[in-house]
């Protein structure tokens, strides 16, 4: 593993530990607001964004194509697909059992109808996304030829991530003083960008190796290093709202997949040689 890859992973681990301490020690559970203002928390997000932009500069300027999911990433692909499929099955079931679970004086029949429609549609798309990724991993394990992630189904299923980003912004609009919903929206957007980069890499033209690395690191930092501690905090404290557990776990796994793809791209510099600089 290259030094840049080790540095990227070490930085992510430090961010995850810091975020965990911040949530459990300096965050008010009933409101979700952090102590001491939010400016320095957004500064930490900015550092993650800068790291995702700067570290891939070590990757040669070349295009990459992945005709199949790399063997080292196949377990992450399978785990991500399984959790997405589970959430896809659970979303309409929870709607039938518990309803939309909206509360407050702003709830109207129209908003409840839109929330139910969004949850059901998100469940269907997440199930499709999970099925596509499970098929990709199976093709790797079965050593079958052909592209593991078909562009058509993959592009359609990736709409689940986009819809999730939109619904998180609608359900809990981001604000400067409420870090959790802001982070959920940013994490969902990074997930969309990374999955789009994966699909682009499968196209005949390929994708920029740096772009795959950048989106992978962004997904790793915001979906895993920031999002997973927040998910654990919500489960431990019983905090209301937030991203559904299975959806949050799926995004965290996608972030790990992004880290694997980024480390693979960062590790190609030594093998590429000076001709690709």
């Amino acid at each position: 593993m290259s030094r840049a890859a080790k540095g990227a992973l070490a930085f992510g681990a430090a961010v995850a530990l810091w975020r965990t301490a911040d949530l459990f020690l300096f965050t008010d559970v009933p409101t979700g607001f952090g102590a001491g203002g939010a400016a320095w928390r957004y500064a930490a997000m900015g550092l993650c964004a800068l790291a995702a932009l700067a570290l891939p500069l070590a990757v040669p300027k070349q295009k990459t194509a992945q005709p199949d999911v790399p063997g080292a990433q196949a377990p992450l692909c399978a785990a991500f697909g399984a959790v997405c499929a589970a959430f896809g099955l659970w979303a309409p079931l929870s709607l039938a059992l518990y309803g939309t679970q909206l509360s407050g004086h702003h709830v109207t029949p129209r908003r409840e109808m839109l929330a139910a429609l969004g949850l059901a549609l998100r469940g269907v798309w997440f199930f499709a996304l999970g099925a596509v990724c499970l098929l990709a991993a199976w093709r790797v394990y079965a050593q079958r030829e052909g592209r593991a992630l078909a562009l058509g189904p993959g592009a359609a299923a990736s709409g689940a991530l986009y819809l999730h980003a939109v619904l998180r912004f609608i359900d809990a609009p981001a604000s400067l003083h409420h870090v959790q919903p802001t982070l959920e929206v940013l994490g969902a957007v990074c997930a969309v960008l990374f999955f789009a980069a994966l699909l682009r890499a499968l196209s005949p033209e390929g994708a920029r190796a740096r772009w795959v690395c950048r989106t992978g690191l962004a997904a790793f930092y915001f979906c895993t290093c920031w999002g997973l501690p927040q998910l654990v905090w919500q489960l431990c404290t019983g905090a209301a709202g937030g991203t559904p557990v299975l959806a949050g776990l799926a995004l965290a796994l996608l972030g790990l997949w992004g880290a694997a793809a980024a480390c693979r791209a960062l590790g190609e510099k030594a093998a590429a040689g000076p001709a690709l600089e």
Side-chain angles (χ1 to χ4, degrees), residues 67-69 139 144-149:
D68 282 304
V69 177
R139 293 179 76 93
R144 297 185 55 154
E145 296 180 357
R147 296 189 181 277
L149 283 173

Side-chain angles (χ1 to χ4, degrees), residues 37-76:
W40 57 281
R41 294 177 175 88
Y42 285 106
M45 292 185 195
L47 286 177
C48 290
L50 288 176
L53 289 173
L55 287 170
L57 293 177
V59 178
K61 288 184 177 181
Q62 61 181 13
K63 290 195 175 183
T64 180
Q66 300 176 359
D68 282 304
V69 177
Q73 299 176 30
L76 291 172

Side-chain angles (χ1 to χ4, degrees), residues 235-249:
L235 290 175
C236 292
T237 60
T243 299
V245 174
L246 287 174
L249 182 58

Side-chain angles (χ1 to χ4, degrees), residues 80 84 121-133 149-164 192 195-196 199:
F80 173 67
C84 284
L121 183 58
R122 181 167 52 171
V124 171
W125 262 354
F126 260 90
F127 181 79
L129 180 62
V132 169
C133 291
L149 283 173
L151 286 176
S158 64
L161 299 173
Y162 175 76
L163 178 63
H164 175 71
V192 173
F195 201 81
L199 292 175

Side-chain angles (χ1 to χ4, degrees), residues 9 72-73 76 194 216 220 254-266:
L9 295 179
Q73 299 176 30
L76 291 172
F194 173 60
F220 172 59
L254 186 63
L256 290 177
W257 189 356
C263 290
R264 179 168 175 260
L266 289 169

